[in-house]
């Protein structure tokens, strides 16, 4: 495996051939430039772009600091930029569905204001702008930076609200554009990733760091092993060769799930539940855990470290597979033993488990972000997290040391993906009937393993399929899912829902003609 050095910079490229290998993008870039000239009267100075990603395995565990296995795709968000003399951020989207937006910058150097209750597309730009502005202030501690105005045209090929991380792609591209236009001509991948990770929290989503890492560190023909502890580290690796070759088909369920709007019952509630689980375990085993989760509590990774330190005097787990397997299996066993209420805990019951009052429960967990629930599913969520983290290690092991026969490569990777899906469906409740239908059809038509990818509750699924069966799989989904579920769709719309993309390059600045 090649290890990406920590100080590698976000590249600047001059040719589109360095960015894309599947679809010729010249006409697209020309159209972006034409729109720019039409709206602003001259050409953009540069474009920043950042890709979406598909997660192969390791779902809903990044915010618990467990490693994940995504890959960047070639679909991306491009922002064409010119510095302006106004104090305005002017945003135009080539997709008319997103109306133009103008943000007035403070002449005193205050940060842009982000309204948590409004997740329109420009808010995501503001998230990226804000963290870039914070960085500018950090590197110039003696003065308060007043960012310059920006004229922009945005063009995206990552479908929104579909689990392919259009939001992270946009935020990474926005932060990169803001840095550059304000004079930062080189930035390390780690720095850009770190600032992007915290940025969506300004919109009230307590995301982990998978999407931003994949978007920034993407590498053609490689998947990424992303570790968050002890430090953020992205290791690119190649897929094993097999006959027929491995391929991944991404199928969008076309069920939209806006993470921001559904956060109280979906994404943020899961973040709260896994944090609660970590703190209950810490309380039972009388260990202190670092308060470093997105909502300022302990994490399930933190508990794992503290437990082994206390019971065995063990050092922090460094990611080594055999040791990780042992520790994660132990964690899953503890979860099964400790959480006796398998169907969930009421607020009263959760407070008792933690030995705190309901008021304290509210202050520490439930009041950090609005959440709605009948029962807190502490047992099911924690079991998913530890077992999914284990599956990531198993998947990685198969990738790096593949069995000698191709059939076994497909069956071992495929079965881990199927298990992941089933756990997300039954323990994490982040699938939906449509995604379950898609996975079922796919498995009956050549897929070796099928799962929901990304946050879920709608959005995309990913299928591991021998390359020679990919067409069969796609036509089965077309006939049995899209035409049945959405009879009005044109063939072209169905084609677009089946995103086929090779692993692509990460964030970069394009300065070509
Ligand atoms: P998507 O698929 O972009 O909504 C979200 C989180 C990830 C991760 C996955 C679930 C954001 C920006 N991303 O991804 O950090 O937790 O869900 O594995 O919120
Ligand atoms: Mg997103």
């Amino acid at each position: 495996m090649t290890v990406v050095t920590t100080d590698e910079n976000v590249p600047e490229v001059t040719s589109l051939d360095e960015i894309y290998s599947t679809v010729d993008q010249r006409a697209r870039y020309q159209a972006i430039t034409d729109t720019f000239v039409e709206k602003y009267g001259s050409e953009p100075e540069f474009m920043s772009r950042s890709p979406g990603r598909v997660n192969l395995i390791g779902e809903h565990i990044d915010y618990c600091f467990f490693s994940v296995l995504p890959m960047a795709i070639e679909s991306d968000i491009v922002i064409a930029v010119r510095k302006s003399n106004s104090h305005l951020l002017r945003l135009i989207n080539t997709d008319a569905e997103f109306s133009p937006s103008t943000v007035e910058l403070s002449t005193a150097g205050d940060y842009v204001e982000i309204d948590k209750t409004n997740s329109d597309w420009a808010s995501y730009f503001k998230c990226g702008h804000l963290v870039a502005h914070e960085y500018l202030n950090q590197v110039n501690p003696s003065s308060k930076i007043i960012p310059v105005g920006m004229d922009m045209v945005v063009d995206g090929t990552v479908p929104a609200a579909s689990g392919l991380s259009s939001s992270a792609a946009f935020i990474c591209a926005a932060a990169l554009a803001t840095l550059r236009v304000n004079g930062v001509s080189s930035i390390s991948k780690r720095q850009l990733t770190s600032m992007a990770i915290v940025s969506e929290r300004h919109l009230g989503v307590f995301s982990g760091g998978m999407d931003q890492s994949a978007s920034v560190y993407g590498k053609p023909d490689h998947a990424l092993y992303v570790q968050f502890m002890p430090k953020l580290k992205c290791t690119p690796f190649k897929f094993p060769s097999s006959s027929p070759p491995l391929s991944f088909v991404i199928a969008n369920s076309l069920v939209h799930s806006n993470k921001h709007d559904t956060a109280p019952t979906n994404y943020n509630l899961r973040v709260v539940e896994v944090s609660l689980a970590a703190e209950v375990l810490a309380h039972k085993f009388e260990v202190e855990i670092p308060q470093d989760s997105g909502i300022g509590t302990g994490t399930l990774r933190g508990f794992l470290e503290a437990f082994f330190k206390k019971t065995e005097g063990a050092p922090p787990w460094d990611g080594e597979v055999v040791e990780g397997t042992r520790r994660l299996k132990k964690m899953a066993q503890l979860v099964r033993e400790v959480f006796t209420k398998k169907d969930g805990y009421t607020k009263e019951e959760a407070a008792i488990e933690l030995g705190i009052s309901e008021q304290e429960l509210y202050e520490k967990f439930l009041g950090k972000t609005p959440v709605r629930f009948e029962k807190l599913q502490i047992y099911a969520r924690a079991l998913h997290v530890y077992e999914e983290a284990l599956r990531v290690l198993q998947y990685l092991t198969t990738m790096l040391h593949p069995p000698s026969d191709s059939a076994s490569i497909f069956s071992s990777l495929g079965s881990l993906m199927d298990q992941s899906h089933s756990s997300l469906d039954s323990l994490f409740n982040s699938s939906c009937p449509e995604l379950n239908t898609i996975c079922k059809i796919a498995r009956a038509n050549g897929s070796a393993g099928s799962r929901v990818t990304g946050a879920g509750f709608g959005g995309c699924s990913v299928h591991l399929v021998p390359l020679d069966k990919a067409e069969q799989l796609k036509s089965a989904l077309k006939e049995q899912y899209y035409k049945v579920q959405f009879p009005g769709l044109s063939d072209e719309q169905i084609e677009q829902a089946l995103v086929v993309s090779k692993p692509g390059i990460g964030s970069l600045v394009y300065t070509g003609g």
Side-chain angles (χ1 to χ4, degrees), residues 53 59-60 62-63 163 165 200 207-208 210-211 259 267 454-455:
R53 63 98 186 94
E59 216 64 82
H60 284 286
D62 60 345
Y63 48 86
S165 265
E200 217 167 312
S207 51
M210 161 167 67
D211 304 351
K259 192 146 31 61
Y267 195 85

Side-chain angles (χ1 to χ4, degrees), residues 403-447:
S404 51
D405 66 305
S406 298
S408 305
I409 299 180
F410 280 102
S411 65
S412 58
L413 294 178
S415 112
L416 289 166
M417 290 171 74
D418 285 343
Q419 287 167 38
S420 169
H421 183 81
S422 142
S423 178
L424 288 160
D425 185 30
S426 61
L427 294 175
F428 222 74
N429 302 130
S430 60
S431 184
C432 65
E434 292 83 352
L435 283 164
N436 292 349
T437 302
I438 289 181
C439 290
K440 205 167 151 200
I441 296 168
R443 287 185 198 115
N445 288 279
S447 163

Side-chain angles (χ1 to χ4, degrees), residues 451-499:
R451 56 184 291 277
V452 47
T453 185
F457 311 103
C460 283
S461 54
V462 59
H463 311 273
L464 169 65
V465 41
L467 191 56
D468 63 349
K469 298 245 179 69
E471 283 310 311
Q472 179 198 329
L473 172 61
K474 283 167 66 181
S475 58
L477 287 175
K478 192 169 167 179
E479 296 305 322
Q480 297 171 42
Y481 179 73
Y482 295 105
K483 290 200 170 168
V484 175
Q485 201 80 30
F486 303 98
L489 287 185
S490 67
D491 282 351
E492 198 196 334
Q493 285 168 316
I494 297 178
E495 279 299 315
Q496 281 170 3
L498 290 160
V499 187

Side-chain angles (χ1 to χ4, degrees), residues 232-245:
L232 176 70
K233 183 165 143 193
C234 289
T235 312
F237 63 90
K238 286 219 174 205
F239 297 99
S241 51
S242 65
S243 168

Side-chain angles (χ1 to χ4, degrees), residues 136-279:
L136 293 168
N137 278 328
Q138 264 165 36
V139 293
N140 300 286
S142 54
S143 59
K144 195 170 175 188
I145 298 290
I146 303 174
V148 301
M150 297 164 77
D151 290 338
M152 291 168 281
V153 170
V154 178
D155 182 83
T157 53
V158 190
S162 63
L164 297 182
S165 265
S166 57
S167 60
F170 190 25
I171 287 174
C172 291
L176 187 57
T178 306
L179 290 171
R180 187 172 177 100
V181 90
N182 286 287
V184 179
S185 56
S186 71
I187 183 90
S188 74
K189 291 183 177 180
R190 172 175 284 173
Q191 189 68 57
L192 179 62
T193 308
S194 308
M195 67 177 88
I197 287 176
V198 294
S199 70
E200 217 167 312
R201 302 208 181 127
H202 292 289
L203 264 178
V205 176
F206 291 90
S207 51
M210 161 167 67
D211 304 351
Q212 303 79 356
S213 307
S215 190
V216 174
Y217 283 90
K219 186 168 168 157
D221 299 323
H222 287 70
L224 299 165
Y225 181 51
V226 184
Q227 292 168 277
F228 302 101
M229 287 206 132
K231 271 213 280 193
L232 176 70
K233 183 165 143 193
C234 289
T235 312
F237 63 90
K238 286 219 174 205
F239 297 99
S241 51
S242 65
S243 168
L246 302 184
S247 77
F248 293 95
V249 172
I250 305 166
N252 190 338
S253 68
L254 300 179
V255 175
H256 281 253
S257 173
N258 178 317
K259 192 146 31 61
H260 180 270
D261 297 344
T262 61
T265 53
N266 295 348
Y267 195 85
N268 282 357
L269 177 58
R270 301 296 182 278
V271 177
V272 168
E273 287 171 318
V274 295
S275 309
L276 256 168
E279 294 282 358

